[in-house]
Amino acid sequence: MSKQVKISGRQFMVLTTLFTIGSAILIIPSGMAFLAKQDAWIAALVGVGSGFLLVWIYNTIATLYPRMTLVEIIETLLGKWLGKTISLLFIVTLFLSGPTAVLYDVGNFLTTQIMPETPALSVNILFAVIVVMGARLGIETFARSAELLFPLFILLYISLVILIAPEIKLENVEPVLEAGIGPIWPAALSFISVLFLPHIVLLMIFPAVNRIDNARKAFFNGSMFGGLMMVLIVALAILVLGPDLTARSIFPSYFLAQKISIGNFLQRIEAIMAVMWFISLYFRATIYIYGIVLAIAQIFNLKDYRPLILPLGMILVVMSVVIYPNVPYQQMWDGTVWLSYTLSIGLLLPLLLLCIHVIRKLLSKKRTESKG
């Protein structure tokens, strides 16, 4: 990554927060309520605790190789050809599972909830255009944009929490742990598979932060802040809608906003609240695309990543309308393939890199001692 490309720790924290929330704010309460019922909020807290460990692992790798992206770290530890092969496989599968799925969520959400007469392809094209624009302008530009839009995002989030509070029914979370702790674990795993395991992509932009110590703090703070915000969303969905209705809803948080009614005057403001979701969806998709094109450029030793963005954006639009034939297929995919995939790239891959780093250090130390 070019040394001239720099963002502040604050900007990295904002990007991490928005990436953490991403599409999870729309879809995660439903799956968690299906698995853990009224205890979904407990599973979300367990997921945040697990996320702490994952972020520590990513921070450790990034600190050991402070000015290298993930692709450069893989190539350094695994060798040129094996490293490039694994990186290419990682990037191709990530493209199909990451930004493509996010764009599908955007089109599915808008065409089912807000604009049912509009073709999903049209929505996807419009959203992909601004994603491509953001990625092409570079990380410094969209990091500043995130910093500017973040106060609006927080304002809308706080408004949602305050305005929906009168609808809370505490009996919806009772009895606590009715089915024991068994259902908590798969629900927590579902939580971290969407929120924290994809964070390995952020190692592609970690070197862009001007100070490494600030980057570590920003990575941790952004991840935990986004995770706790999602815990509150899950809890509110259960408290207001109940576990059964939350589990049956495709987009529970949108349905949650529809429940806002203050004195029969302030109501039906879910379209305004949707702005919050579009902000997080946009930055998650843009970070995915930026990280992917940067990785491709590094794998093939290209001087500039920008010529790759438009073709990749066109492929993104096409794949977004064919990746999931229907909603049941998407739910099956998210519960099986996505879970296994994110565990392999978000947990097994970084652990493998750490193990290889330790082995190489030990071998290097033995050689030094034998020469001495």
Side-chain angles (χ1 to χ4, degrees):
M1 181 174 286
S2 173
K3 292 183 179 180
Q4 283 74 34
V5 178
K6 295 295 178 185
I7 61 175
S8 67
R10 173 185 169 82
Q11 289 171 337
F12 186 50
M13 186 196 76
V14 170
L15 287 174
T16 302
T17 301
L18 294 174
F19 184 83
T20 302
I21 296 171
S23 53
I25 195 170
L26 282 176
I27 62 174
I28 200 66
S30 177
M32 295 194 67
F34 177 78
L35 292 168
K37 306 301 180 185
Q38 67 269 23
D39 297 322
W41 65 276
I42 300 176
L45 285 173
V46 173
V48 170
S50 304
F52 174 85
L53 178 60
L54 287 168
V55 173
W56 178 82
I57 293 173
Y58 302 149
N59 262 333
T60 301
I61 294 173
T63 305
L64 291 171
Y65 301 90
R67 290 304 171 193
M68 292 186 185
T69 65
L70 178 63
V71 168
E72 292 170 332
I73 293 171
I74 292 173
E75 190 173 331
T76 299
L77 291 173
L78 299 180
K80 182 178 179 180
W81 295 110
L82 179 60
K84 285 183 180 295
T85 302
I86 291 177
S87 295
L88 187 60
L89 180 63
F90 164 68
I91 290 305
V92 170
T93 54
L94 179 69
F95 175 75
L96 295 174
S97 303
T100 302
V102 173
L103 193 57
Y104 170 85
D105 288 334
V106 172
N108 188 32
F109 169 66
L110 279 172
T111 55
T112 58
Q113 304 295 324
I114 299 178
M115 298 185 295
E117 301 297 324
T118 305
L121 181 60
S122 302
V123 173
N124 292 2
I125 290 173
L126 289 173
F127 199 83
V129 166
I130 60 172
V131 169
V132 166
M133 287 174 59
R136 186 173 179 81
L137 289 171
I139 187 173
E140 291 177 309
T141 301
F142 71 74
R144 292 192 193 103
S145 301
E147 199 172 21
L148 288 172
L149 290 171
F150 193 61
L152 173 62
F153 179 85
I154 294 298
L155 176 63
L156 290 172
Y157 178 87
I158 293 173
S159 300
L160 173 64
V161 173
I162 293 174
L163 294 176
I164 202 63
E167 305 295 326
I168 287 176
K169 300 174 183 176
L170 293 178
E171 58 269 21
N172 284 336
V173 296
E174 298 173 350
V176 177
L177 296 176
E178 180 183 20
I181 62 172
I184 298 296
W185 307 117
L189 188 57
S190 174
F191 186 83
I192 65 172
S193 73
V194 178
L195 270 79
F196 295 111
L197 288 170
H199 275 41
I200 193 168
V201 178
L202 293 174
L203 295 185
M204 289 302 301
I205 64 176
F206 193 98
V209 184
N210 51 15
R211 291 179 55 184
I212 295 300
D213 56 338
N214 286 346
R216 286 175 57 90
K217 294 177 184 176
F219 200 175
F220 175 79
N221 292 338
S223 300
M224 293 304 104
F225 188 45
L228 291 173
M229 289 175 73
M230 279 308 306
V231 170
L232 186 53
I233 290 292
V234 172
L236 284 173
I238 300 297
L239 286 165
V240 175
L241 305 177
D244 294 333
L245 186 54
T246 301
R248 290 197 303 267
S249 302
I250 300 177
F251 304 111
S253 58
Y254 184 74
F255 192 29
L256 193 66
Q258 289 179 326
K259 291 287 185 179
I260 294 175
S261 179
I262 306 297
N264 294 322
F265 171 72
L266 186 62
Q267 54 188 354
R268 304 297 298 178
I269 60 169
E270 62 274 7
I272 298 174
M273 292 299 171
V275 173
M276 173 177 65
W277 305 319
F278 292 142
I279 291 172
S280 63
L281 287 163
Y282 170 73
F283 284 103
R284 188 175 179 101
T286 306
I287 290 170
Y288 267 134
I289 291 297
Y290 178 81
I292 288 170
V293 294
L294 183 62
I296 294 172
Q298 292 178 345
I299 291 169
F300 294 102
N301 298 320
L302 303 177
K303 292 183 180 180
D304 190 8
Y305 67 87
R306 287 179 177 84
L308 301 171
I309 295 176
L310 182 57
L312 199 69
M314 296 170 68
I315 298 172
L316 176 68
V317 171
V318 174
M319 293 305 301
S320 69
V321 294
V322 300
I323 187 82
Y324 299 128
N326 48 56
V327 173
Y329 181 89
Q330 179 196 15
Q331 292 173 339
M332 181 277 295
W333 172 278
D334 291 344
T336 54
V337 181
W338 168 254
L339 197 59
S340 303
Y341 173 70
T342 52
L343 281 172
S344 64
I345 67 164
L347 181 60
L348 297 183
L349 178 60
L351 289 178
L352 174 65
L353 295 177
L354 283 177
C355 289
I356 293 174
H357 171 82
V358 172
I359 291 170
R360 290 184 59 169
K361 286 294 182 182
L362 291 174
L363 291 175
S364 177
K365 184 177 180 181
K366 285 185 179 180
R367 290 195 196 101
T368 305
E369 290 175 351
S370 63
K371 288 180 180 180

mmCIF file of all heavy atoms in Angstrom, residues 202-237:
data_model
loop_
_atom_site.group_PDB
_atom_site.id
_atom_site.type_symbol
_atom_site.label_atom_id
_atom_site.label_comp_id
_atom_site.label_asym_id
_atom_site.label_seq_id
_atom_site.Cartn_x
_atom_site.Cartn_y
_atom_site.Cartn_z
ATOM 1 N N LEU A 202 -10.476 -6.157 7.032
ATOM 2 C CA LEU A 202 -9.978 -4.853 7.465
ATOM 3 C C LEU A 202 -8.460 -4.817 7.573
ATOM 4 O O LEU A 202 -7.862 -3.741 7.654
ATOM 5 C CB LEU A 202 -10.603 -4.476 8.815
ATOM 6 C CG LEU A 202 -12.125 -4.220 8.782
ATOM 7 C CD1 LEU A 202 -12.661 -3.998 10.182
ATOM 8 C CD2 LEU A 202 -12.460 -3.034 7.892
ATOM 9 N N LEU A 203 -7.809 -5.989 7.560
ATOM 10 C CA LEU A 203 -6.349 -6.014 7.543
ATOM 11 C C LEU A 203 -5.800 -5.501 6.215
ATOM 12 O O LEU A 203 -4.610 -5.203 6.111
ATOM 13 C CB LEU A 203 -5.833 -7.432 7.804
ATOM 14 C CG LEU A 203 -6.129 -8.014 9.191
ATOM 15 C CD1 LEU A 203 -5.469 -9.373 9.359
ATOM 16 C CD2 LEU A 203 -5.678 -7.073 10.300
ATOM 17 N N MET A 204 -6.667 -5.407 5.202
ATOM 18 C CA MET A 204 -6.242 -4.820 3.930
ATOM 19 C C MET A 204 -6.084 -3.304 4.039
ATOM 20 O O MET A 204 -5.319 -2.699 3.266
ATOM 21 C CB MET A 204 -7.251 -5.155 2.827
ATOM 22 C CG MET A 204 -7.258 -6.612 2.391
ATOM 23 S SD MET A 204 -5.656 -7.201 1.774
ATOM 24 C CE MET A 204 -5.369 -6.093 0.408
ATOM 25 N N ILE A 205 -6.810 -2.667 4.962
ATOM 26 C CA ILE A 205 -6.704 -1.208 5.102
ATOM 27 C C ILE A 205 -6.006 -0.804 6.393
ATOM 28 O O ILE A 205 -5.772 0.371 6.621
ATOM 29 C CB ILE A 205 -8.086 -0.533 5.007
ATOM 30 C CG1 ILE A 205 -8.998 -0.955 6.160
ATOM 31 C CG2 ILE A 205 -8.750 -0.839 3.678
ATOM 32 C CD1 ILE A 205 -10.334 -0.232 6.169
ATOM 33 N N PHE A 206 -5.680 -1.775 7.243
ATOM 34 C CA PHE A 206 -4.993 -1.490 8.509
ATOM 35 C C PHE A 206 -3.709 -0.681 8.290
ATOM 36 O O PHE A 206 -3.448 0.274 9.038
ATOM 37 C CB PHE A 206 -4.693 -2.802 9.235
ATOM 38 C CG PHE A 206 -4.263 -2.645 10.662
ATOM 39 C CD1 PHE A 206 -5.169 -2.805 11.701
ATOM 40 C CD2 PHE A 206 -2.937 -2.343 10.987
ATOM 41 C CE1 PHE A 206 -4.781 -2.659 13.021
ATOM 42 C CE2 PHE A 206 -2.534 -2.201 12.304
ATOM 43 C CZ PHE A 206 -3.468 -2.365 13.332
ATOM 44 N N PRO A 207 -2.870 -1.025 7.282
ATOM 45 C CA PRO A 207 -1.623 -0.256 7.095
ATOM 46 C C PRO A 207 -1.831 1.191 6.697
ATOM 47 O O PRO A 207 -0.890 1.983 6.742
ATOM 48 C CB PRO A 207 -0.904 -1.032 5.967
ATOM 49 C CG PRO A 207 -1.519 -2.385 5.960
ATOM 50 C CD PRO A 207 -2.942 -2.174 6.370
ATOM 51 N N ALA A 208 -3.039 1.551 6.268
ATOM 52 C CA ALA A 208 -3.292 2.930 5.848
ATOM 53 C C ALA A 208 -3.423 3.886 7.030
ATOM 54 O O ALA A 208 -3.371 5.105 6.846
ATOM 55 C CB ALA A 208 -4.567 3.000 5.002
ATOM 56 N N VAL A 209 -3.596 3.355 8.235
ATOM 57 C CA VAL A 209 -3.729 4.213 9.423
ATOM 58 C C VAL A 209 -2.373 4.828 9.732
ATOM 59 O O VAL A 209 -1.338 4.141 9.713
ATOM 60 C CB VAL A 209 -4.254 3.412 10.628
ATOM 61 C CG1 VAL A 209 -4.478 4.329 11.821
ATOM 62 C CG2 VAL A 209 -5.543 2.695 10.258
ATOM 63 N N ASN A 210 -2.360 6.125 10.041
ATOM 64 C CA ASN A 210 -1.090 6.843 10.168
ATOM 65 C C ASN A 210 -0.227 6.372 11.334
ATOM 66 O O ASN A 210 0.996 6.448 11.278
ATOM 67 C CB ASN A 210 -1.332 8.360 10.258
ATOM 68 C CG ASN A 210 -2.363 8.714 11.327
ATOM 69 O OD1 ASN A 210 -2.701 7.896 12.191
ATOM 70 N ND2 ASN A 210 -2.882 9.924 11.275
ATOM 71 N N ARG A 211 -0.853 5.861 12.401
ATOM 72 C CA ARG A 211 -0.082 5.357 13.539
ATOM 73 C C ARG A 211 -0.606 3.986 13.941
ATOM 74 O O ARG A 211 -1.810 3.797 14.121
ATOM 75 C CB ARG A 211 -0.175 6.321 14.729
ATOM 76 C CG ARG A 211 0.557 7.642 14.517
ATOM 77 C CD ARG A 211 0.392 8.554 15.726
ATOM 78 N NE ARG A 211 0.819 7.918 16.963
ATOM 79 C CZ ARG A 211 0.696 8.482 18.178
ATOM 80 N NH1 ARG A 211 0.136 9.666 18.286
ATOM 81 N NH2 ARG A 211 1.108 7.844 19.246
ATOM 82 N N ILE A 212 0.318 3.040 14.101
ATOM 83 C CA ILE A 212 -0.067 1.656 14.385
ATOM 84 C C ILE A 212 -0.767 1.533 15.738
ATOM 85 O O ILE A 212 -1.752 0.796 15.888
ATOM 86 C CB ILE A 212 1.158 0.727 14.336
ATOM 87 C CG1 ILE A 212 1.715 0.693 12.913
ATOM 88 C CG2 ILE A 212 0.796 -0.684 14.790
ATOM 89 C CD1 ILE A 212 0.722 0.191 11.884
ATOM 90 N N ASP A 213 -0.270 2.255 16.770
ATOM 91 C CA ASP A 213 -0.913 2.162 18.084
ATOM 92 C C ASP A 213 -2.347 2.691 18.032
ATOM 93 O O ASP A 213 -3.256 2.131 18.653
ATOM 94 C CB ASP A 213 -0.089 2.910 19.144
ATOM 95 C CG ASP A 213 0.155 4.363 18.770
ATOM 96 O OD1 ASP A 213 0.071 4.692 17.570
ATOM 97 O OD2 ASP A 213 0.452 5.174 19.667
ATOM 98 N N ASN A 214 -2.569 3.750 17.240
ATOM 99 C CA ASN A 214 -3.927 4.251 17.058
ATOM 100 C C ASN A 214 -4.787 3.251 16.299
ATOM 101 O O ASN A 214 -5.988 3.107 16.577
ATOM 102 C CB ASN A 214 -3.896 5.572 16.285
ATOM 103 C CG ASN A 214 -3.398 6.724 17.133
ATOM 104 O OD1 ASN A 214 -3.322 6.615 18.349
ATOM 105 N ND2 ASN A 214 -3.041 7.825 16.492
ATOM 106 N N ALA A 215 -4.185 2.560 15.342
ATOM 107 C CA ALA A 215 -4.932 1.577 14.555
ATOM 108 C C ALA A 215 -5.420 0.433 15.433
ATOM 109 O O ALA A 215 -6.553 -0.028 15.292
ATOM 110 C CB ALA A 215 -4.062 1.049 13.422
ATOM 111 N N ARG A 216 -4.576 -0.043 16.338
ATOM 112 C CA ARG A 216 -4.962 -1.132 17.235
ATOM 113 C C ARG A 216 -6.151 -0.729 18.097
ATOM 114 O O ARG A 216 -7.127 -1.470 18.227
ATOM 115 C CB ARG A 216 -3.782 -1.526 18.133
ATOM 116 C CG ARG A 216 -2.679 -2.298 17.442
ATOM 117 C CD ARG A 216 -1.510 -2.534 18.394
ATOM 118 N NE ARG A 216 -1.945 -3.235 19.600
ATOM 119 C CZ ARG A 216 -1.963 -4.561 19.720
ATOM 120 N NH1 ARG A 216 -1.577 -5.322 18.710
ATOM 121 N NH2 ARG A 216 -2.361 -5.122 20.838
ATOM 122 N N LYS A 217 -6.069 0.448 18.699
ATOM 123 C CA LYS A 217 -7.161 0.931 19.553
ATOM 124 C C LYS A 217 -8.437 1.151 18.739
ATOM 125 O O LYS A 217 -9.533 0.807 19.179
ATOM 126 C CB LYS A 217 -6.748 2.233 20.238
ATOM 127 C CG LYS A 217 -5.613 2.083 21.248
ATOM 128 C CD LYS A 217 -5.218 3.429 21.822
ATOM 129 C CE LYS A 217 -4.019 3.297 22.766
ATOM 130 N NZ LYS A 217 -3.577 4.625 23.260
ATOM 131 N N ALA A 218 -8.271 1.730 17.545
ATOM 132 C CA ALA A 218 -9.435 2.010 16.702
ATOM 133 C C ALA A 218 -10.109 0.715 16.257
ATOM 134 O O ALA A 218 -11.345 0.628 16.233
ATOM 135 C CB ALA A 218 -9.003 2.822 15.477
ATOM 136 N N PHE A 219 -9.314 -0.296 15.924
ATOM 137 C CA PHE A 219 -9.845 -1.591 15.502
ATOM 138 C C PHE A 219 -10.675 -2.202 16.626
ATOM 139 O O PHE A 219 -11.809 -2.660 16.423
ATOM 140 C CB PHE A 219 -8.681 -2.512 15.132
ATOM 141 C CG PHE A 219 -9.071 -3.668 14.248
ATOM 142 C CD1 PHE A 219 -8.105 -4.520 13.756
ATOM 143 C CD2 PHE A 219 -10.393 -3.919 13.899
ATOM 144 C CE1 PHE A 219 -8.437 -5.593 12.934
ATOM 145 C CE2 PHE A 219 -10.737 -4.984 13.081
ATOM 146 C CZ PHE A 219 -9.757 -5.818 12.605
ATOM 147 N N PHE A 220 -10.114 -2.185 17.816
ATOM 148 C CA PHE A 220 -10.819 -2.757 18.965
ATOM 149 C C PHE A 220 -12.064 -1.944 19.314
ATOM 150 O O PHE A 220 -13.163 -2.498 19.462
ATOM 151 C CB PHE A 220 -9.889 -2.839 20.169
ATOM 152 C CG PHE A 220 -10.575 -3.295 21.428
ATOM 153 C CD1 PHE A 220 -10.845 -4.639 21.638
ATOM 154 C CD2 PHE A 220 -10.984 -2.384 22.391
ATOM 155 C CE1 PHE A 220 -11.498 -5.061 22.777
ATOM 156 C CE2 PHE A 220 -11.637 -2.796 23.535
ATOM 157 C CZ PHE A 220 -11.884 -4.140 23.731
ATOM 158 N N ASN A 221 -11.903 -0.627 19.447
ATOM 159 C CA ASN A 221 -13.026 0.218 19.858
ATOM 160 C C ASN A 221 -14.159 0.192 18.847
ATOM 161 O O ASN A 221 -15.344 0.118 19.207
ATOM 162 C CB ASN A 221 -12.550 1.663 20.067
ATOM 163 C CG ASN A 221 -11.628 1.809 21.265
ATOM 164 O OD1 ASN A 221 -11.638 0.972 22.170
ATOM 165 N ND2 ASN A 221 -10.812 2.850 21.278
ATOM 166 N N GLY A 222 -13.819 0.254 17.561
ATOM 167 C CA GLY A 222 -14.846 0.215 16.527
ATOM 168 C C GLY A 222 -15.601 -1.101 16.513
ATOM 169 O O GLY A 222 -16.825 -1.133 16.376
ATOM 170 N N SER A 223 -14.859 -2.201 16.674
ATOM 171 C CA SER A 223 -15.501 -3.527 16.680
ATOM 172 C C SER A 223 -16.430 -3.685 17.876
ATOM 173 O O SER A 223 -17.571 -4.169 17.739
ATOM 174 C CB SER A 223 -14.428 -4.625 16.701
ATOM 175 O OG SER A 223 -13.600 -4.550 15.571
ATOM 176 N N MET A 224 -15.958 -3.296 19.043
ATOM 177 C CA MET A 224 -16.767 -3.459 20.241
ATOM 178 C C MET A 224 -17.964 -2.499 20.248
ATOM 179 O O MET A 224 -19.065 -2.863 20.658
ATOM 180 C CB MET A 224 -15.907 -3.214 21.498
ATOM 181 C CG MET A 224 -14.836 -4.266 21.715
ATOM 182 S SD MET A 224 -15.486 -5.962 21.814
ATOM 183 C CE MET A 224 -15.021 -6.606 20.196
ATOM 184 N N PHE A 225 -17.760 -1.278 19.754
ATOM 185 C CA PHE A 225 -18.852 -0.305 19.703
ATOM 186 C C PHE A 225 -19.944 -0.800 18.759
ATOM 187 O O PHE A 225 -21.143 -0.786 19.098
ATOM 188 C CB PHE A 225 -18.307 1.048 19.232
ATOM 189 C CG PHE A 225 -19.304 2.171 19.316
ATOM 190 C CD1 PHE A 225 -20.105 2.343 20.438
ATOM 191 C CD2 PHE A 225 -19.448 3.074 18.268
ATOM 192 C CE1 PHE A 225 -21.021 3.379 20.525
ATOM 193 C CE2 PHE A 225 -20.359 4.111 18.334
ATOM 194 C CZ PHE A 225 -21.146 4.262 19.459
ATOM 195 N N GLY A 226 -19.541 -1.267 17.584
ATOM 196 C CA GLY A 226 -20.514 -1.801 16.638
ATOM 197 C C GLY A 226 -21.202 -3.039 17.172
ATOM 198 O O GLY A 226 -22.413 -3.226 16.996
ATOM 199 N N GLY A 227 -20.435 -3.899 17.852
ATOM 200 C CA GLY A 227 -21.018 -5.111 18.419
ATOM 201 C C GLY A 227 -22.054 -4.811 19.484
ATOM 202 O O GLY A 227 -23.129 -5.422 19.510
ATOM 203 N N LEU A 228 -21.749 -3.866 20.361
ATOM 204 C CA LEU A 228 -22.699 -3.513 21.429
ATOM 205 C C LEU A 228 -23.947 -2.830 20.866
ATOM 206 O O LEU A 228 -25.045 -3.013 21.390
ATOM 207 C CB LEU A 228 -22.011 -2.614 22.453
ATOM 208 C CG LEU A 228 -20.925 -3.301 23.304
ATOM 209 C CD1 LEU A 228 -20.197 -2.292 24.169
ATOM 210 C CD2 LEU A 228 -21.537 -4.402 24.172
ATOM 211 N N MET A 229 -23.776 -2.055 19.804
ATOM 212 C CA MET A 229 -24.945 -1.456 19.163
ATOM 213 C C MET A 229 -25.864 -2.537 18.602
ATOM 214 O O MET A 229 -27.092 -2.434 18.691
ATOM 215 C CB MET A 229 -24.499 -0.503 18.043
ATOM 216 C CG MET A 229 -23.851 0.785 18.539
ATOM 217 S SD MET A 229 -23.204 1.815 17.203
ATOM 218 C CE MET A 229 -24.724 2.446 16.483
ATOM 219 N N MET A 230 -25.270 -3.597 18.072
ATOM 220 C CA MET A 230 -26.072 -4.691 17.537
ATOM 221 C C MET A 230 -26.728 -5.505 18.660
ATOM 222 O O MET A 230 -27.833 -6.020 18.487
ATOM 223 C CB MET A 230 -25.217 -5.600 16.661
ATOM 224 C CG MET A 230 -25.008 -5.072 15.253
ATOM 225 S SD MET A 230 -26.556 -4.647 14.423
ATOM 226 C CE MET A 230 -27.488 -6.167 14.599
ATOM 227 N N VAL A 231 -26.069 -5.624 19.803
ATOM 228 C CA VAL A 231 -26.686 -6.293 20.959
ATOM 229 C C VAL A 231 -27.970 -5.577 21.339
ATOM 230 O O VAL A 231 -29.006 -6.212 21.608
ATOM 231 C CB VAL A 231 -25.716 -6.327 22.160
ATOM 232 C CG1 VAL A 231 -26.443 -6.793 23.418
ATOM 233 C CG2 VAL A 231 -24.535 -7.249 21.877
ATOM 234 N N LEU A 232 -27.927 -4.247 21.347
ATOM 235 C CA LEU A 232 -29.111 -3.460 21.706
ATOM 236 C C LEU A 232 -30.221 -3.624 20.668
ATOM 237 O O LEU A 232 -31.405 -3.718 21.030
ATOM 238 C CB LEU A 232 -28.721 -1.984 21.846
ATOM 239 C CG LEU A 232 -29.810 -1.035 22.366
ATOM 240 C CD1 LEU A 232 -30.398 -1.541 23.678
ATOM 241 C CD2 LEU A 232 -29.250 0.374 22.538
ATOM 242 N N ILE A 233 -29.853 -3.693 19.388
ATOM 243 C CA ILE A 233 -30.862 -3.897 18.340
ATOM 244 C C ILE A 233 -31.539 -5.249 18.507
ATOM 245 O O ILE A 233 -32.773 -5.374 18.414
ATOM 246 C CB ILE A 233 -30.223 -3.782 16.941
ATOM 247 C CG1 ILE A 233 -29.822 -2.333 16.642
ATOM 248 C CG2 ILE A 233 -31.168 -4.308 15.857
ATOM 249 C CD1 ILE A 233 -30.995 -1.390 16.482
ATOM 250 N N VAL A 234 -30.750 -6.294 18.776
ATOM 251 C CA VAL A 234 -31.306 -7.636 18.985
ATOM 252 C C VAL A 234 -32.228 -7.632 20.200
ATOM 253 O O VAL A 234 -33.336 -8.188 20.165
ATOM 254 C CB VAL A 234 -30.178 -8.672 19.156
ATOM 255 C CG1 VAL A 234 -30.742 -10.024 19.580
ATOM 256 C CG2 VAL A 234 -29.388 -8.830 17.860
ATOM 257 N N ALA A 235 -31.778 -6.995 21.285
ATOM 258 C CA ALA A 235 -32.583 -6.945 22.509
ATOM 259 C C ALA A 235 -33.898 -6.202 22.270
ATOM 260 O O ALA A 235 -34.962 -6.638 22.728
ATOM 261 C CB ALA A 235 -31.786 -6.276 23.631
ATOM 262 N N LEU A 236 -33.839 -5.081 21.549
ATOM 263 C CA LEU A 236 -35.055 -4.314 21.271
ATOM 264 C C LEU A 236 -36.031 -5.106 20.404
ATOM 265 O O LEU A 236 -37.250 -5.058 20.619
ATOM 266 C CB LEU A 236 -34.694 -2.994 20.576
ATOM 267 C CG LEU A 236 -34.104 -1.899 21.461
ATOM 268 C CD1 LEU A 236 -33.629 -0.730 20.619
ATOM 269 C CD2 LEU A 236 -35.127 -1.432 22.497
ATOM 270 N N ALA A 237 -35.489 -5.841 19.426
ATOM 271 C CA ALA A 237 -36.363 -6.653 18.570
ATOM 272 C C ALA A 237 -37.118 -7.688 19.396
ATOM 273 O O ALA A 237 -38.324 -7.897 19.213
ATOM 274 C CB ALA A 237 -35.536 -7.331 17.470
#
